[in-house]
Amino acid sequence: MPKSLRIKAQGEVEIVDRPMPTPGQNQILVKNVAVAQNPIDWQCVYDYFAPGSEGTLIGNDFAGVVIALGQGVTRYKTGDRVAGIAPGNINLSPDSGAFAEFVIGDADLSFKIPDGMSFEDASTFGTAVATVGQSLYQFLDLPWPTEPAGEPFPVLVYGGSSSMGSLALQFAKLSGCKVITTASPKNFDFVKTMGADEVFDYRDADIVTKIKAACGNKLTKAVDTICLPGTTSIITESFSPTGGRLHNLRYTDMTPFRKDVAATVSGGYAVFGVPWSLKGNTFPGLPEDRIHSTRFWKLTDELLAEEKLQPHPSKVISGGLEGVKEGLKMQKEWKLSAEKLVYLIGDTPGI
C-alpha cells in the first residue's frame, strides 16, 4: 500500500500504509517525487498539536507526476509534471498531506513544472505562492505584476531570506515597487538577487532610521514573514507619518500598533476556501479567498513558464519520508537559513 507520514503523538511522526486516494471534482492524483518542508509543518507537530491531531497527515508542498484526473479537470493530462499545495497538518480531509507517496492536489492550486526545472526546485513554491498571493495582493493590494506601478513606491518585506520572503521580493519587484527587506548580512547578496533594492540587518539598532531613509519616509505597505516579538514594532515605527498597512503571516501578538496602522493576518489554508482550524481556533472558508487564489496560481504558472520567477534554495535531506523526523527537529531548533528542506519520496525505505 502507498506510504504516508502522519502525526503519531505530540513531537512524533510515523510512516504508515494508507489506501490509494481518489481524486474528486477538479482534483488530480499525483505520484510524488519531491516534497518540501515549511515552518507550519514542525509547528503543527510540536507547538500546535492538540488532542485529536493523532493520525493527521502532514506536509503542504509537493511536486510530482499526474497519474489520474478527477471530474472536470481539463488543464492537465496524465504524465504532466506538476507542483502545488495540499491541506496537510489539519483535519481538513482524510487524504490531505503532501508528505506521502501519492497526494491529492487541486487543479487550480497547482502549476505545470517548466521544462528544465527540477522536482526539488518546484516543490519549494507551494505554500510560498499561497501566502504571497494573500499578503501582497489580496490584503496589501499591490498592482498586479501584469500591470505594474507606473512610478515605484516602497514596500517592506520583513524577512526576505525566508522561502515566502524570497518569492515576495520577486513579485513585489514585478509589480513595479521599490523593494526593501531585512536579513542577516550573510544573506544580503541572496535577497538582492531575488529583487531587493535595499536590505538591512534586522539586528541593526538603527534599522528603523535606515528603512525610513531608504523609503524617503513614505513607507505605507509591509508584510512580516517572521512574526516574532519585536518585528511588529520595527515595521510600524518605519511607516510614514500618515501610517500604513501591515500584513502578518501568522496569528501572533501584533502589538504595539500605531493608531494609524491597519493590520491584517491570514493563514495559508484560506486558499482552499473551506472552513479550517488550527490551535483550537476555527476559521471560515470564504469563496472569495478561493477565487483570488485561483487567479494568483494561474498567474504564477504563467510567470514560471516565462522564467520570471526563481525557486528558493533547497537542501535535500536523505531518507525520504524517514528523513522528515530529522528535518522537523532542525527547523524547530532554528538551524535553517535561506534554504528549504526537501525530501525525495523515492529515498523512503520500503518504496
Side-chain angles (χ1 to χ4, degrees), residues 140-154:
L140 294 184
D141 198 27
L142 261 60
W144 209 247
T146 52
E147 299 178 358
E151 183 175 340
F153 61 88

Side-chain angles (χ1 to χ4, degrees), residues 31 67 102 127 135 156 194 210 216 229 235 262 280 319:
K31 180 176 175 57
I67 62 171
F102 297 90
T127 299
S135 59
L156 171 63
M194 290 295 184
K210 292 179 178 179
I235 296 169

